[in-house]
Amino acid sequence: MEDPHVQRRRSRLIVVEGESDRIALEAVAERLGRERPEIAVLGGAHSIASFVALAGKQNLVGLCDRNEEFLFRRALARVYVCDPDLEGELIRALGTERALQLIDASFATLQKQPAWRGMPLEQQLSRYLSGRSGNKLRYARLFVESLDLDRVPPPLLAVLD
């Protein structure tokens, strides 16, 4: 039985860790007027070796976070890395002020927590995106749609080429 996370249309397959990566890549491709990429969502970086064993290495390319790079590089020949992660890349590309304009008021709750007071704004934004259920998925598309096309993070452009 074919994995429902793999959409078979072309021979090249982009392997990503999570749904927010897929959403962002599809949004970038759409904004650039490119065909929708074929993407397999692992549901966690530690699945990469078993996925490659089942799929084979032919024409696979990976997109991962900096912390998972070693896992992806052991399994794939071509890997593009988000530093530190997709959210960090998008926040840098947008700029923290623009990212703040796009998020909802619940971000202020995080900023009031003692552990996060005084932390750099970019780190607070990254934590907010990854800490609240659904934020990664919600903001991946919104952030990409809000980017100037000349500011698309390099790893996202590279994995689509």
Side-chain angles (χ1 to χ4, degrees):
M1 177 175 230
E2 187 170 317
D3 185 335
H5 297 293
V6 178
Q7 303 165 351
R8 300 268 177 215
R9 285 193 301 274
R10 293 177 299 283
S11 60
R12 182 167 183 249
L13 181 62
I14 300 171
V15 184
V16 298
E17 182 181 355
E19 278 295 318
S20 61
D21 303 304
R22 179 190 61 76
I23 289 168
L25 286 172
E26 288 176 353
V28 168
E30 182 180 314
R31 295 231 22 238
L32 295 173
R34 297 184 185 175
E35 194 171 330
R36 186 176 178 170
E38 184 178 350
I39 300 172
V41 178
L42 296 175
H46 290 275
S47 304
I48 186 68
S50 58
F51 178 84
V52 170
L54 291 172
K57 285 190 178 184
Q58 69 282 352
N59 216 9
L60 296 178
V61 58
L63 178 72
C64 65
D65 297 345
R66 173 69 57 207
N67 287 343
E68 284 80 25
E69 179 180 10
F70 73 99
L71 295 168
F72 271 65
R73 291 213 186 273
R74 283 193 304 198
L76 297 171
R78 293 185 311 167
V79 177
Y80 299 93
V81 180
C82 294
D83 188 20
D85 52 26
L86 173 68
E87 295 75 28
E89 291 280 355
L90 292 173
I91 291 166
R92 264 194 316 282
L94 278 171
T96 53
E97 291 306 315
R98 180 66 180 130
L100 280 172
Q101 292 171 357
L102 295 170
I103 63 173
D104 63 42
S106 64
F107 176 66
T109 302
L110 174 94
Q111 289 183 300
K112 292 176 186 174
Q113 295 176 4
W116 292 98
R117 287 185 201 144
M119 297 298 280
L121 185 55
E122 188 174 312
Q123 191 174 355
Q124 290 179 1
L125 283 166
S126 185
R127 170 69 175 107
Y128 173 76
L129 294 175
S130 63
R132 186 169 172 220
S133 179
N135 274 357
K136 281 186 170 191
L137 303 179
R138 177 177 168 202
Y139 289 109
R141 176 168 287 284
L142 180 62
F143 281 12
V144 168
E145 289 173 349
S146 300
L147 281 175
D148 291 333
L149 288 179
D150 63 346
R151 303 271 309 156
V152 174
L156 277 66
L157 286 176
V159 79
L160 289 170
D161 285 337

